[in-house]
């Protein structure tokens, strides 16, 4: 029984990454209508920027948490301005193909230069060590990841669903012409939103760097699962992504305990089941 | 078509066959295919470095000056057996490749083994670990160069059991390699009076091992045996440190660890790990001289891993055999027989031999990862703990199930 609690907690930790990544994807899909396949590559860039900041600039983890999302977010905004904006109004497929191509190029470049086995990134001193919870030894860093991700997820949800800025955003996606008539610069808002989604991916990358290796393919390994999370949660649904992200992390953790061989596929089995019963995903609205 | 033209067609065909026959006896063209994981979790330990090693072997052989024409092509099997066999078939059928080298990933390696046998090519495997390549699935076309699961089990595994690690829990990569390594190590553990308390099989390329590590921790086994490789091993070791596993009294046995893995983990976390390799760049003047030349041509100036060193040594020996034959007969079995009949000797692995089952025998070394304070340079990672002579490290022929031995 103790082991089961431990697996639940570990699942929640992985769920934090799923939630943060799928949240970014949901924001981008919900506002820009782009299926952002470059999300994994941008997550990887977040981890690499943190690595560079530390090793080239001596800038520590805490600053990286702030700076890496901003730097990668700006990169994302440049992508949006130079490439993605031309796809407005076209079929989803174009965005998917373009971002997939971008992901391959970015990953290829990093791999060519840094190899595949990855670079070490140490856990910051303040978060080293662990606590004995009785049923498991919880590394402090992992506890921090859960708490921090939850806060970021809820703040993002609040920003989009509850503030005036979020209301403009949602309106702009529903009827851009009308919103523009109110004097709001819709293209700039779209660019900033893409930057926000990308920044969330990069933030997850920084959080992940001390746990996983900083590897060029770290995003490619994760992105398919994250897409499954978004599909199960309902494309574009903010709260759906957050809840599904955490829930799937837990389910995956339990699978690792009961039948480890299936742990890589359980998410997809669930996706099939959910889509059979509810094609719009758990919290998605019919188009 | 009249009788005359049929006759002339037959004559031309007969002549061209005769010409081909003459050509093959003196044929001095060779095509080498370096088949590896070029982009995935084993790319750094083999990959482009293996292609470079093959190229250096060709250059060092000096055969070009003697009129030989040797080409190298490379391919990415992506750790998928179907892709590996497709490339291998295309290489033999279309590109006329003579020899396939490297092929890490036991699943791909065993699949390619069958293709090479079918096409009567030569297969010098360096990257794969499964001992089945020269045991149950041995082939007259295959030479397995660098290491295998039997050797890993009988060096690292045995040393740890004898040092008191008598209960084990396995974290095993869920494919041919992991299964072979767990099987061979289990045999060693039980033979030495230890027992296996349990294990989990994880999918290849798993980013998070915490669930598995918690199970290993709960088993209270003295040793947690890592029957995985590359990125999977580095992630396991790193996350085990995070969960305080070693501090809690359990010991990690990295049954297979490469130089690039230690680099990726960092000495701070990797220090004290025991493991086995058959090549390390900093062994002696010859290995250092080769590694320096190799690193100058590698990105990030990385010295060769044992897999890349094995590719070099294997290709060198293959070319020596071809030279001894006086030309390339394009007959895999014949060339491999020649390779087996000649003792192996090179700067990297020293003296050795290729057994009738295709297994290359050379010394294996037990290493320990240095403390950060002991390391003097960017790749100065290992302390030599012990040397196991080749005849004790690898499967004795009396225990081998290879069909080639029953002749």
């Amino acid at each position: 029984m103790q082991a089961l609690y431990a697996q639940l907690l570990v699942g929640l930790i992985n769920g934090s990454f799923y939630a943060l990544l799928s949240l970014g994807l949901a924001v981008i899909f919900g506002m820009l209508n782009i299926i952002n396949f470059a999300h994994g590559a941008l997550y990887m860039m977040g981890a690499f920027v943190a690595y560079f900041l530390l090793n080239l600039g001596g800038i520590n983890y805490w600053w990286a948490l702030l700076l890496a999302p901003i730097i990668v977010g700006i990169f994302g905004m440049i992508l949006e301005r130079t490439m993605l904006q031309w796809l407005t109004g076209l079929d989803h497929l174009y965005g998917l193909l373009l971002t997939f191509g971008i992901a391959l190029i970015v990953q290829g470049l990093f791999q060519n230069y840094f190899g595949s086995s990855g670079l070490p990134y140490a856990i910051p001193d303040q978060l080293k060590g662990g606590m004995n919870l009785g049923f498991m030894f919880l590394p402090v860093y992992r506890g921090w990841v859960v708490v921090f991700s939850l806060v970021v997820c809820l703040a993002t949800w609040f920003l989009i669903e509850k503030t005036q800025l979020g209301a403009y955003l949602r309106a702009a996606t529903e009827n851009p012409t009308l919103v523009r008539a109110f004097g709001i610069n819709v293209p700039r808002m779209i660019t900033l939103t893409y930057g926000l989604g990308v920044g969330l991916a990069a933030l997850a990358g920084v959080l992940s760097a001390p746990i996983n290796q900083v590897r060029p393919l770290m995003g490619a390994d994760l992105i398919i699962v994250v897409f499954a999370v978004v599909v199960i949660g309902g494309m574009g649904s903010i709260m759906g992504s957050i809840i599904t992200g955490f829930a799937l992390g837990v389910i995956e953790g339990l699978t690792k305990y009961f039948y480890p061989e299936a742990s890589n596929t359980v998410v997809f089995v669930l996706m099939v089941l959910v889509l059979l019963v509810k094609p719009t995903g758990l919290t998605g609205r019919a188009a | 078509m009249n009788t005359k033209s049929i006759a002339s067609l037959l004559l031309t065909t007969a002549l061209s066959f005769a010409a081909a026959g003459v050509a093959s006896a003196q044929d001095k063209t060779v095509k080498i295919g370096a088949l590896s994981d070029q982009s995935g979790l084993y790319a750094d330990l083999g990959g482009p470095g293996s292609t470079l090693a093959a190229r250096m072997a060709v250059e060092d052989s000096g055969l070009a000056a003697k009129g030989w024409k040797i080409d190298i092509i490379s391919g990415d099997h992506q750790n998928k057996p179907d892709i590996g066999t497709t490339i291998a078939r295309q290489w033999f059928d279309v590109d006329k490749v003579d020899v396939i080298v490297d092929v890490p990933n036991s699943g791909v390696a065993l699949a390619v083994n069958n293709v090479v046998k079918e096409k009567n090519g030569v297969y010098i495997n360096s990257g794969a670990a499964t001992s089945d390549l020269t045991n149950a699935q041995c082939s007259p076309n295959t030479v397995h160069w660098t290491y295998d699961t039997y050797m890993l089990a009988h060096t690292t595994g045995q040393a740890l059991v004898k040092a008191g690690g008598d209960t084990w829990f396995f974290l095993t990569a869920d494919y041919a390699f992991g299964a072979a390594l767990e099987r061979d190590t289990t045999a060693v553990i039980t033979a030495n009076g230890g027992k296996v308390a349990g294990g989990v099989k994880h999918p290849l390329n798993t980013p998070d091992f915490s669930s598995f590590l918690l199970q290993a921790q709960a088993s209270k086994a003295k040793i947690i045996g890592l029957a995985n490789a590359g990125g999977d091993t580095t992630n396991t070791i790193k996350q085990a440190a995070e969960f305080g596993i070693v501090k809690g009294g359990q010991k990690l046995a990295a049954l297979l660890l490469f130089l690039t893995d230690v680099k990726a983990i960092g000495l701070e976390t990797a220090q004290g790990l025991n493991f086995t390799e058959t090549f390390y760049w900093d062994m002696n003047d010859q290995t250092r001289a080769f590694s320096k030349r190799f690193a100058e041509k590698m990105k990030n100036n990385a010295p060769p891993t044992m897999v890349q060193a094995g590719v070099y040594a294997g290709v060198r020996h293959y070319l020596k055999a071809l030279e001894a034959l006086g030309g390339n007969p394009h007959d895999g079995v014949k060339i491999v027989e020649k390779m087996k009949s000649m003792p192996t000797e090179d700067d990297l692995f020293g003296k050795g031999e290729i057994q009738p089952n295709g297994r290359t025998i050379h010394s294996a070394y037990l290493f320990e990862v240095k403390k950060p304070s002991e390391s003097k340079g960017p790749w100065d990672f290992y302390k030599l703990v012990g040397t196991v002579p080749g005849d004790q490290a690898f499967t004795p022929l009396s225990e081998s199930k290879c069909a080639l031995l029953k002749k």
Side-chain angles (χ1 to χ4, degrees):
Chain A
M1 202 60 208
Q2 283 193 345
L4 205 59
Y5 288 137
Q7 296 298 342
L8 281 172
L9 192 58
V10 164
L12 212 56
I13 298 162
N14 284 337
S16 327
F17 289 107
Y18 294 159
L20 266 184
L21 283 169
S22 59
L23 175 65
L25 278 176
V27 168
I28 291 171
F29 181 78
M31 309 296 149
L32 280 75
N33 253 338
I34 282 175
I35 300 172
N36 188 32
F37 241 89
H39 217 64
L42 296 160
Y43 158 79
M44 174 269 287
M45 283 177 76
F48 267 96
V49 168
Y51 176 84
F52 293 137
L53 287 174
L54 184 67
N55 288 280
L56 302 179
I59 296 165
N60 68 21
Y61 172 83
W62 303 104
W63 279 105
L65 272 183
L66 179 71
L67 292 176
I70 293 175
I71 294 168
V72 182
I74 290 171
F75 175 77
M77 286 192 268
I78 295 171
L79 280 184
E80 202 279 333
R81 284 274 86 175
T82 52
M83 296 185 220
L84 293 173
Q85 67 151 328
W86 306 108
L87 303 178
T88 316
L90 292 178
D91 191 85
H92 294 319
L93 207 58
Y94 291 92
L96 188 150
L97 288 173
L98 177 63
T99 50
F100 186 57
I102 293 171
L104 289 182
I105 293 168
V106 170
Q107 274 159 204
L109 286 174
F110 273 81
Q111 186 150 29
N112 199 27
Y113 200 75
F114 298 102
S116 62
S117 43
L119 305 160
Y121 189 94
I123 294 175
D125 289 339
Q126 297 87 338
L127 298 174
K128 275 190 176 148
M131 299 171 270
N132 195 345
L133 300 181
F135 62 92
M136 78 174 284
F137 178 91
L138 176 71
V140 172
Y141 187 78
R142 299 219 173 207
W144 153 256
V145 168
V146 177
V147 175
F148 184 72
S149 313
L150 255 180
V151 171
V152 172
C153 284
L154 292 177
T156 311
W157 170 80
F158 187 81
L159 177 77
I160 289 173
E161 299 287 341
K162 300 287 166 198
T163 62
Q164 196 179 24
L165 180 70
Y168 286 152
L169 255 179
R170 283 176 286 130
T173 53
E174 291 285 327
N175 193 340
T177 326
L178 189 66
V179 175
R180 204 173 286 136
F182 282 108
I184 291 165
N185 187 338
V186 174
R188 186 190 293 159
M189 262 176 97
I190 298 280
T191 308
L192 287 172
T193 310
Y194 190 72
L196 171 74
V198 168
L200 285 170
L203 183 68
V206 182
L207 281 178
S208 155
I211 298 181
N212 301 302
Q213 294 294 106
V214 180
R215 288 181 303 127
L217 292 183
M218 60 194 285
D221 297 341
L222 205 62
I223 191 72
I224 301 294
V225 179
V226 175
F227 265 106
V229 171
V230 177
V231 171
I232 295 172
M235 293 292 288
S237 158
I238 306 287
M239 204 35 127
S241 302
I242 299 173
I243 294 170
T244 320
F246 280 102
L248 283 188
V250 170
I251 291 170
E252 197 185 57
L254 292 179
T255 315
K256 281 180 177 168
Y257 181 68
F258 288 110
Y259 190 63
E261 288 89 337
S263 55
N264 271 13
T265 42
V266 64
V267 172
F268 304 102
V269 174
L270 274 171
M271 183 175 84
V272 171
L273 291 177
V274 168
L275 290 183
L276 279 176
V277 179
K278 198 162 183 286
T280 51
L282 290 175
T283 56
R285 291 177 292 256
Chain B
M1 198 181 270
N2 59 27
T3 331
K4 203 175 163 187
S5 58
I6 292 175
S8 74
L9 184 73
L10 285 174
L11 188 67
T12 339
T13 320
L15 279 174
S16 63
F17 269 113
V22 175
S24 72
Q26 297 160 343
D27 185 3
K28 291 191 171 172
T29 58
V30 183
K31 198 153 193 183
I32 300 171
L35 182 57
S36 194
D37 171 6
Q38 304 279 3
S39 53
L41 77 169
Y42 302 146
D44 280 0
L45 61 93
S50 287
T51 314
L52 171 63
R55 191 171 301 127
M56 286 177 73
V58 172
E59 283 164 14
D60 293 355
S61 73
L63 288 183
K66 295 175 188 167
W68 289 70
K69 186 176 176 309
I70 304 169
D71 289 325
I72 299 175
I73 55 174
S74 62
D76 184 3
H77 64 48
Q78 300 172 32
N79 293 307
K80 292 177 182 133
D82 53 336
I83 294 181
T85 50
T86 307
I87 295 176
R89 277 179 201 287
Q90 191 195 319
W91 277 0
F92 284 119
D93 294 341
V94 182
D95 300 301
K96 304 296 171 203
V97 159
D98 295 290
V99 51
I100 292 184
V101 297
D102 197 13
V103 200
N105 186 316
S106 297
V108 184
L110 290 169
V112 170
N113 194 36
N114 292 329
V115 178
V116 181
K117 190 176 173 185
E118 180 192 320
K119 304 284 180 188
N120 194 23
V122 177
Y123 187 24
I124 304 172
N125 188 297
S126 176
T130 177
S131 56
D132 290 345
L133 267 181
T134 55
N135 203 350
Q137 299 197 42
C138 73
S139 144
N141 302 72
T142 298
V143 174
H144 195 185
W145 202 276
T146 314
Y147 70 107
D148 66 25
T149 50
Y150 182 96
M151 180 278 273
L152 297 171
H154 283 77
T155 47
T156 314
Q158 191 153 322
L160 286 165
V161 180
K162 285 190 172 159
D166 53 3
T167 49
W168 284 59
F169 185 94
F170 279 105
L171 285 184
T172 305
D174 193 13
Y175 73 107
F177 151 69
L181 187 50
E182 183 178 335
R183 175 196 67 203
D184 290 349
T185 313
T186 302
V188 170
I189 295 165
T190 44
N192 285 279
K195 81 177 188 21
V196 176
V200 285
K201 289 192 165 38
H202 66 78
L204 179 67
N205 210 3
T206 297
D208 186 77
F209 282 88
S210 39
S211 290
F212 307 128
L213 287 166
L214 286 176
Q215 292 173 54
Q217 207 168 22
S219 76
K220 305 232 165 31
K222 285 184 192 161
I223 307 268
I224 299 172
L226 310 184
N228 50 21
D232 283 338
T233 308
T234 53
N235 271 339
T236 320
I237 294 171
K238 201 169 168 178
Q239 289 162 11
E242 213 189 316
F243 279 88
I245 289 207
V246 177
K247 278 188 188 143
Q250 285 172 305
K251 206 169 161 70
L252 287 182
L255 293 164
L256 179 54
L257 196 69
F258 295 96
L259 189 70
T260 42
D261 297 335
V262 178
K263 175 80 171 173
I265 303 165
L267 289 186
E268 185 64 43
T269 309
Q271 57 180 310
L273 279 172
N274 288 301
F275 60 96
T276 307
E277 294 220 60
T278 52
F279 169 85
Y280 175 49
W281 69 270
D282 199 12
M283 291 293 286
N284 53 47
D285 289 343
Q286 287 92 337
T287 57
R288 278 188 286 273
F290 172 80
S291 303
K292 188 162 174 281
R293 284 198 295 133
F294 181 92
E296 279 164 4
K297 294 177 185 160
M298 263 309 259
K299 66 178 178 202
N300 304 330
N301 294 327
T305 63
M306 75 165 162
V307 168
Q308 292 154 351
V311 170
Y312 174 86
V315 173
R316 277 303 296 271
H317 191 68
Y318 166 79
L319 294 176
K320 274 184 205 165
L322 283 188
E323 198 177 6
L325 287 167
N328 186 358
H330 299 288
D331 177 343
V333 173
K334 194 172 170 187
I335 299 169
V336 169
E337 271 171 12
K338 188 72 192 168
M339 288 173 77
K340 287 175 183 169
S341 71
M342 302 163 64
T344 63
E345 183 172 6
D346 57 74
D347 287 348
L348 309 189
F349 292 86
K351 287 188 172 139
E353 58 165 323
I354 302 173
Q355 292 187 327
N357 57 359
R359 177 69 255 164
T360 308
I361 302 294
H362 39 234
S363 298
Y365 310 100
L366 266 170
F367 291 109
E368 185 181 312
V369 179
K370 287 182 172 178
K371 293 189 183 79
S373 58
E374 293 167 328
S375 171
K376 294 186 195 75
W379 293 93
D380 179 22
F381 294 156
Y382 297 178
K383 266 192 297 203
L384 184 65
V385 180
T387 302
V388 185
D391 54 351
Q392 290 170 32
F394 291 96
T395 317
L397 286 178
S398 59
E399 283 179 29
S400 179
K401 295 186 197 80
C402 173
L404 294 172
L405 301 171
K406 287 178 190 140
K407 275 180 186 169

